[in-house]
Amino acid sequence: QPSALLLESHYHHLDTLNRVRECGSIPAFMKAEGLNDGIICTCVSENIPFVLVGSYHEDESVYQVDINDQSAIFSVTNYLIGLGHKRIGIITSSPEYTSASDRVEGYCQAMREAGLTVKNEWIQFCENLTEAKAEQLAKHMLYLPNRVSAIIAFNDSVAMAIYKASKDCGLSIPRDLSVVGFDDTTLASYMSPPLTSVWQPSYEKGEKAMQMLISQIEGRETSGRRVELNCITMYRGSCAPCGEDLQ
């Protein structure tokens, strides 16, 4: 019998519930994206120690750890606005995921506070966000009559697809288009130009989740059941002041 479970969000909800029940009171890490409330209620009612990793649950009695997606994108949107960009696009995953909806909310908040218009075609949600799909969505925004001058990507792989779309459209980064990624993977530093990207503390997230799980197993109360970790924007060469013809 396993000593712990890692329950991924892509498992069918019924399958996840069955795995929890079959393993009894086995401690679990659960990726919160797409999880059904019934799974969480089952773990609580059957006293199964667990920690939600990613996308907060509204029940603050549940142990959970994540980053502040809304704040991170609010910050990078303000950075682009500070560079003179007014037509900023964002490509993200399905709105059913809290991380995606939170990032769009952060983007919209920054745009509203700057007194800028947000057009529907500048916000691109995608349920199955592959590089090919991201490239297609980026081209859609770049072919608009009043095209965007900057795009915020859901992750660095999406940013890479935006680079390709930009090249295919005859645009140069960052002269004609500024791009911001997310996750700050190794890929970001080796792209040309190097990608400005939001770094998130993945190691710290896992470490904190393990500490919270161990505390539950040992019957110790932690200082807080809801932990929010900060992101850091890594500024590189993919962003530049907006040209006057695009303002």
Side-chain angles (χ1 to χ4, degrees):
Q1 190 181 52
S3 57
L5 288 177
L6 172 61
L7 302 179
E8 299 277 1
S9 60
H10 59 254
Y11 285 124
H12 188 278
H13 294 149
L14 181 59
D15 293 338
T16 305
L17 279 170
N18 288 337
R19 295 187 74 208
V20 169
R21 289 192 174 109
E22 287 171 3
C23 293
S25 57
I26 297 300
F29 296 104
M30 296 196 289
K31 293 184 70 175
E33 293 281 26
L35 277 180
N36 187 292
D37 282 347
I39 300 171
I40 296 172
C41 291
T42 297
C43 289
V44 171
S45 64
E46 299 184 16
N47 295 315
I48 298 173
F50 72 97
V51 178
L52 292 182
V53 182
S55 298
Y56 289 123
H57 190 265
E58 60 185 13
D59 184 354
E60 295 191 2
S61 68
V62 171
Y63 288 87
Q64 45 197 317
V65 57
D66 196 15
I67 58 173
N68 190 326
D69 285 284
Q70 182 173 337
S71 176
I73 297 302
F74 175 81
S75 177
V76 296
T77 305
N78 271 330
Y79 166 63
L80 292 169
I81 292 171
L83 290 174
H85 295 278
K86 297 178 181 178
R87 301 199 294 270
I88 303 170
I90 183 169
I91 297 176
T92 188
S93 65
S94 172
E96 73 178 68
Y97 295 133
T98 308
S99 60
S101 57
D102 282 354
R103 292 181 192 185
V104 170
E105 179 54 38
Y107 157 82
C108 290
Q109 180 187 353
M111 295 287 278
R112 286 194 304 266
E113 291 185 6
L116 299 176
T117 300
V118 175
K119 295 187 177 181
N120 291 335
E121 56 262 36
W122 296 351
I123 301 174
Q124 296 293 330
F125 287 105
C126 184
E127 186 171 350
N128 298 307
L129 189 55
T130 62
E131 285 85 351
K133 186 63 176 177
E135 181 184 344
Q136 180 183 345
L137 294 174
K139 286 181 178 179
H140 170 75
M141 285 193 278
L142 295 175
Y143 282 130
L144 292 171
N146 292 312
R147 72 168 179 84
V148 296
S149 61
I151 302 178
I152 300 168
F154 184 69
N155 54 40
D156 292 348
S157 294
V158 169
M160 182 173 63
I162 296 171
Y163 271 48
K164 184 177 185 303
S166 175
K167 183 178 180 181
D168 289 349
C169 292
L171 302 175
S172 175
I173 298 173
R175 184 189 65 199
D176 303 314
L177 180 71
S178 290
V179 181
V180 177
F182 206 101
D183 291 336
D184 192 40
T185 59
T186 303
L187 174 71
S189 297
Y190 290 94
M191 292 170 67
S192 182
L195 176 68
T196 292
S197 185
V198 178
W199 172 87
Q200 62 167 307
S202 300
Y203 180 89
E204 186 180 358
K205 189 190 295 185
E207 181 181 45
K208 188 63 181 178
M210 176 60 81
Q211 291 171 352
M212 296 170 81
L213 191 63
I214 291 173
S215 294
Q216 291 180 72
I217 295 169
E218 295 180 347
R220 295 184 286 107
E221 184 64 46
T222 62
S223 56
R225 295 195 176 195
R226 181 168 174 164
V227 175
E228 187 174 85
L229 303 175
N230 293 321
C231 297
I232 300 173
T233 302
M234 308 301 291
Y235 300 98
R236 299 191 179 93
S238 63
C239 298
C242 182
E244 292 184 4
D245 57 325
L246 291 172
Q247 292 186 13

